[in-house]
Amino acid sequence: IEGKLVPQCEEDGTAEDLLREIQAEKQRLYAEGKLKKKDLAHSTIFRGEDNKYYEQIDGAAVPIESDYDFPNSWDVVRLSKICGFIDGEKNEGRFVCLDAKYLRGKSSGDYLNKGKFVTKGDNIILVDGENSGEVFAVPHDGYMGSTFKQLWVSEAMHLPYVLYFIQFYKDLLRNSKKGAAIPHLNKEIFYSLLIGIPPYQEQIRIANTTRELYARL
């Protein structure tokens, strides 16, 4: 998170180009009806002369708390800048229901004739239940379970880097759920998380090193 896992390389450049690509992608998805207008909200986070972080919102610089000190070659954004929740495409036809039990290998699955369709390789996130915030890779085409949303991550980002970031905060997300009878993912906290945006090649190095470290556990 603080850029200490792998070295920074000047030849990687900065993350500014990535942010422009992300904003253009969100505009395109909004035009296609896949994102909502609120998803286009824009703010700028910067480090002030006092070495503290501020968020520029509607012309005002608002101080924000951060537990981490990000490298100068990184940009800092809210998680909502680079990812979001999508309902999935409504479809008809016989496909298996991709609920949590099925995805964990604890059920042979129920087949449905219609539902919210996702394809192999998509990522879906639990938004209801005790394990809200857990992300699954879709193993094959099917219909999302009712407790899931499709997780959109900008193509400008290295997907494993973002998924490791979300995994890092899994305890926070599970412990900050809303609702009594059926707990729900606290989307406000999810979207407000601060994520450092390294240059793309550095994201790859961080994700690869993280994977190697997990393999040793």
Side-chain angles (χ1 to χ4, degrees), residues 1-8 47 53 65-77 79 160-170 172 193-199 202-203 205-207 209-210 213-214:
I1 289 180
E2 291 188 310
K4 298 178 181 179
L5 190 61
V6 301
Q8 279 85 53
R47 194 200 307 261
Y53 288 98
E65 295 291 332
S66 175
D67 295 328
Y68 304 103
D69 188 21
F70 301 97
N72 291 329
S73 60
W74 293 20
D75 275 286
V76 182
V77 301
L79 192 55
Y161 173 80
V162 179
L163 295 181
Y164 279 130
F165 175 86
I166 295 173
Q167 185 176 354
F168 178 81
Y169 282 104
K170 66 179 182 180
L172 171 65
L193 291 173
L194 294 179
I195 179 170
I197 308 295
E202 188 175 346
Q203 292 181 36
R205 293 197 300 273
I206 291 172
T209 302
T210 302
L213 292 173
Y214 271 114

Side-chain angles (χ1 to χ4, degrees), residues 13-178:
T14 66
E16 291 181 4
D17 288 340
L18 296 183
L19 295 185
R20 285 190 285 269
E21 291 178 30
I22 292 167
Q23 195 63 23
E25 182 183 357
K26 293 179 78 170
Q27 290 284 355
R28 174 175 57 80
L29 292 174
Y30 170 69
E32 295 173 358
K34 295 179 179 179
L35 292 181
K36 299 177 181 178
K37 189 172 183 178
K38 65 179 180 62
D39 297 321
L40 302 180
H42 179 70
S43 69
T44 301
I45 296 174
F46 63 95
R47 194 200 307 261
E49 294 181 356
D50 55 3
N51 214 35
K52 296 180 180 179
Y53 288 98
Y54 294 84
E55 188 168 15
Q56 192 82 25
I57 304 175
D58 297 329
V62 180
I64 57 177
E65 295 291 332
S66 175
D67 295 328
Y68 304 103
D69 188 21
F70 301 97
N72 291 329
S73 60
W74 293 20
D75 275 286
V76 182
V77 301
R78 300 284 184 185
L79 192 55
S80 58
K81 178 78 173 182
I82 62 167
C83 69
F85 302 143
I86 299 176
D87 285 336
E89 299 287 342
K90 291 182 179 179
N91 198 5
E92 294 185 0
R94 185 173 170 80
F95 289 95
V96 71
C97 177
L98 301 167
D99 59 20
K101 286 185 178 180
Y102 177 81
L103 292 170
R104 292 193 177 102
K106 296 181 179 180
S107 167
S108 57
D110 296 321
Y111 281 81
L112 305 175
N113 292 318
K114 61 181 179 179
K116 294 180 178 178
F117 189 71
V118 288
T119 60
K120 180 180 179 180
D122 286 341
N123 289 281
I124 55 179
I125 182 169
L126 274 171
V127 294
D128 294 322
E130 288 300 320
N131 294 311
S132 292
E134 186 175 359
V135 179
F136 294 83
V138 174
H140 53 73
D141 296 358
Y143 295 128
M144 279 193 299
S146 61
T147 57
F148 282 98
K149 290 283 189 181
Q150 187 175 350
L151 179 67
W152 165 77
V153 176
S154 171
E155 295 174 354
M157 297 293 296
H158 183 54
L159 178 61
Y161 173 80
V162 179
L163 295 181
Y164 279 130
F165 175 86
I166 295 173
Q167 185 176 354
F168 178 81
Y169 282 104
K170 66 179 182 180
D171 289 338
L172 171 65
L173 296 173
R174 287 177 180 173
N175 295 331
S176 60
K177 297 185 295 292
K178 300 172 68 175

